[in-house]
Amino acid sequence: MEYPAQKPASDLEAFLSPFFLGAYGENDELFEKLILEFFRDHVYWRRNLHPEDAPPIPTRVLHSEEYLDFVDRTKTELHRLTARLKTSAPFFNPRYIGHMASDLLLPGLIAHLVTTLYNPNNVTEEAAPATVRLELAAGRQLAQMMGFNTQPGSHPCAWGHLTSGGTVANYEGLWNLRAAKYYPLAAREILPELDVDPAAVTRRPLSLDDPDPWPWFNLDVDAVIRLRQAVAEALSGQPAERRQALSDRLEQARIEHLGPMDFHSRHAGLKPPVVMVPLTAHYSWKKAMKLMGFGSAQLVSVPVTDRMRLDPQALDRQLAELKAEGRAVLAVVGVLGTTEYGTIDPIDDIVALRQKWRKQGLDFGIHLDAAWGGYMATLFRQPGGGLRQREEVAAQFRYFPSSDVHQAFAAIRHVDTVTVDPHKLGYLPFGVGAFIARNREITALLGESAAYVFDEADEKADTDTLLRNLGRYIMEGSKPGSMAAATYVTHQVFPLDYKHFGRLTEVTVRNTEYLYDRLHETAERLKGKVRLVLPFEPDSNLICIAVNPEGNHSVPAMNRYARRIYEELRVVPDQPPQMREYFGSRTNVFHHALSEEARATLTDRLGLDAATFTAEADGERSSNYIFLLRHTLMNPWLCSTSEGMNYLDRYCRYLERLLLSRL
Ligand SMILES: *Cc1c(COP(=O)(O)O)cnc(C)c1O
């Protein structure tokens, strides 16, 4: 049977054509022209700083032995380097459907290269007079994309900044929420000496007479921020010496000063809090818990549904158990686009559960890990910032977005902090993630100086100005202003709404729907020979495939077969990419990640004996997971019909041949 020569996203092809260098370097002239123009412009800038000075490097050195030798050695090493780079993974090519990488958006790539010539350091405005503001502007653009308010006039006002990637943004989420959750207990130590009524300020039942730490730990972020502001105000009304002494006492009572061990021994009634993440969470959460000194043992995995989304009922049960144990919850993390399966957690349910438990005195921060799926919010965003209705979004797609997915995106504005990766679905070069906080006043809990110093400055300077001292409020120090420039310029050329950036995101989802349908046809054709199963309905632009030879009933044997297929799709270090037809990636679905029912369904669909899918790992013949092929569909040209048949059709053909040849 022939595949239909379908081009599902052809109307978007023309729109997107100028935006990438291209698989064949199709836009090479544009690229060259722009790079050369802005390089020359940079050189003029150098010369015009003090054009009356003579050049410090004399022209005669150009003819010296040393100079020629230097050029020689540099060229040799650059040739060696670029020869090595030829074994790189060809992310730019539509044959690459592996990890979360693709060709790069030209405006960002050029802004990045050009800005590097100026080498701004975004640790502070003094070292980056131009690009710190661009970083904060890019943060606002991303915060708006997520649906947060960014008008300083209304409250709360969000802010965002860039990190080296999603991992560090996740660390910052935990760092910010820790500061918020632990602050009130420290403030309680000086409150008897200040004229602040904590119950009135926080609108929660707090009493200085009650020694129980629980209600102080179970405040929402906004209430904590109100408390801090009231404390700062009360402090600023004190005589200087007393103010200093009380501020020092407050700072010395905080967890950031004491560390978790000392803090908890001072507040004996407070058990170490947990952080809850779905079972599918990125491994950076484990690292974050180790790094913060909480320990990965305090990371609680929330079970997922058979669609690989956080199970809200399980979360509810776990919250009830934790509350009964008197264990506080520092944060619940929801994932918008899981790294392994691209699935979208029910953010709306997490928000609703917080409402429910807040009424019973259990409160927690919500961090949204949208490293992968964050930019998909562009599909739901009106140019003015409003949320698009599901039906309106759905008109461009075959299946997307399910009402669950739409509700998840609609609920983002209620979470406290967010991670999003411009170097993933933002199509920017690696080295740029982002952290966003719904209420930017949370930064006042992180500042590296005492609260009253900050507030004295606060009276004169607005928050915008303060935040330009970026290094005080973020985890990193020196960092490239070029990434801020790249991100900002990209968002300016391609605003983060459905009419602009959203069209690129749209292509990726439409291509995913196309591949989804084609894979079902491939499965039909393979019937009787190989079982090809899509274990989870895609929520975004990522598809996983399970394959098992017909007649095989054992999980380890199936995994060996799938691994042989993957061997043909993977990037091998030192091997030229020309030796591959297509590129894919892999993942596993573990026994413990699935409910008994979901396991039974999956093994049944794959023709496996459920008894061979075990809870225990078993070395070489491991049977506690099912090996999956994983495809990320970022490249915008996957449905381009350069050979009369589009790349995805050709991939299905290839996969079919491969599956039959490795039986
Ligand atoms: C990629 C990813 C991360 C980590 O981001 P890096 O940019 O690789 O540091 C975290 N969480 C999720 C869900 C991701 O997809």
Side-chain angles (χ1 to χ4, degrees), residues 73-83:
R73 281 186 294 136
T74 303
K75 272 197 159 179
T76 307
E77 286 309 320
L78 284 173
H79 284 144
R80 284 189 182 142
L81 168 71
T82 50

Side-chain angles (χ1 to χ4, degrees), residues 424-488:
K424 285 182 179 166
L425 279 176
Y427 294 81
L428 282 157
F430 283 114
V432 56
F435 170 78
I436 301 161
R438 179 179 51 81
N439 188 341
R440 64 182 188 173
E441 303 302 328
I442 199 169
T443 49
L445 298 165
L446 306 169
E448 271 306 309
S449 57
Y452 74 96
V453 175
F454 184 76
D455 283 299
E456 271 183 347
D458 211 358
E459 275 162 13
K460 292 176 213 96
D462 57 300
T463 313
D464 273 329
T465 313
L466 286 171
L467 288 175
R468 287 186 208 137
N469 285 311
L470 260 182
R472 273 170 66 176
Y473 311 109
I474 68 175
M475 288 217 143
E476 286 158 285
S478 295
K479 63 209 211 74
S482 55
M483 298 321 298
T487 311
Y488 174 78

Side-chain angles (χ1 to χ4, degrees), residues 100 164-168 170 282 284-285 335 337-339 369 371-372 419 421 423-424:
M100 297 167 158
S164 64
T167 299
V168 173
N170 283 344
H282 190 262
S284 53
W285 287 102
V335 184
T338 56
T339 319
D369 185 354
W372 173 246
T419 292
D421 259 353
H423 67 200
K424 285 182 179 166

Side-chain angles (χ1 to χ4, degrees), residues 192-508:
E193 326 224 0
L194 295 172
D195 187 23
V196 174
D197 176 358
V201 171
T202 60
R203 297 170 216 142
R204 300 266 177 252
L206 296 181
S207 157
L208 289 169
D209 303 328
D210 181 4
D212 186 6
W214 181 269
W216 294 82
F217 197 84
N218 281 281
L219 293 177
D220 59 287
V221 169
D222 294 353
V224 173
I225 288 168
R226 286 198 301 277
L227 180 63
R228 195 212 68 90
Q229 281 162 346
V231 167
E233 253 166 56
L235 279 174
S236 66
Q238 303 288 323
E241 226 170 274
R242 194 173 143 74
R243 186 171 66 197
Q244 174 79 56
L246 286 172
S247 297
D248 288 350
R249 260 178 67 196
L250 170 57
E251 287 308 305
Q252 283 160 18
R254 294 191 57 188
I255 190 167
E256 287 80 2
H257 177 77
L258 296 169
M261 286 241 286
D262 251 12
F263 190 97
H264 280 277
S265 61
R266 276 201 193 192
H267 301 272
L270 184 71
K271 294 181 186 165
V274 298
V275 172
M276 308 179 78
V277 297
L279 228 147
T280 47
H282 190 262
Y283 70 104
S284 53
W285 287 102
K286 215 175 208 172
K287 291 202 281 186
M289 293 299 279
K290 294 177 182 173
L291 192 67
M292 297 284 288
F294 287 133
S296 50
Q298 313 311 323
L299 193 67
V300 171
S301 279
V302 184
V304 290
T305 63
D306 54 11
R307 296 195 61 165
M308 285 291 141
R309 299 169 177 166
L310 177 141
D311 180 350
Q313 284 166 6
L315 174 61
D316 193 31
R317 279 195 300 276
Q318 287 175 319
L319 288 169
E321 281 163 26
L322 288 162
K323 169 119 199 311
E325 264 175 58
R327 276 267 250 164
V329 178
L330 194 142
V332 173
V333 177
V335 184
L336 204 74
T338 56
T339 319
E340 304 304 327
Y341 317 108
T343 48
I344 309 259
D345 283 340
I347 309 308
D348 49 318
D349 288 331
I350 299 175
V351 170
L353 283 171
R354 177 164 69 176
Q355 282 302 111
K356 169 183 164 180
W357 284 101
R358 178 174 285 170
K359 291 197 190 102
Q360 322 211 18
L362 171 68
D363 210 328
F364 47 83
I366 299 179
H367 180 88
L368 180 69
D369 185 354
W372 173 246
Y375 275 83
M376 292 188 71
T378 53
L379 288 171
F380 299 89
R381 197 61 52 210
Q382 302 279 8
L387 183 79
R388 298 176 77 209
Q389 294 307 308
R390 189 179 94 80
E391 298 68 35
E392 207 186 327
V393 180
Q396 291 143 274
F397 301 100
R398 190 142 182 207
Y399 312 107
F400 184 87
S402 64
S403 60
D404 294 343
V405 165
H406 185 267
Q407 281 163 25
F409 278 88
I412 295 174
R413 62 199 181 87
H414 299 294
V415 309
D416 296 302
T417 49
V418 178
T419 292
V420 52
D421 259 353
H423 67 200
K424 285 182 179 166
L425 279 176
Y427 294 81
L428 282 157
F430 283 114
V432 56
F435 170 78
I436 301 161
R438 179 179 51 81
N439 188 341
R440 64 182 188 173
E441 303 302 328
I442 199 169
T443 49
L445 298 165
L446 306 169
E448 271 306 309
S449 57
Y452 74 96
V453 175
F454 184 76
D455 283 299
E456 271 183 347
D458 211 358
E459 275 162 13
K460 292 176 213 96
D462 57 300
T463 313
D464 273 329
T465 313
L466 286 171
L467 288 175
R468 287 186 208 137
N469 285 311
L470 260 182
R472 273 170 66 176
Y473 311 109
I474 68 175
M475 288 217 143
E476 286 158 285
S478 295
K479 63 209 211 74
S482 55
M483 298 321 298
T487 311
Y488 174 78
V489 167
T490 302
H491 296 169
Q492 286 295 107
V493 177
F494 234 12
L496 300 175
D497 57 56
Y498 86 95
K499 285 196 168 158
H500 301 93
F501 203 104
R503 298 181 74 180
L504 172 56
T505 321
E506 180 188 334
V507 174
T508 68

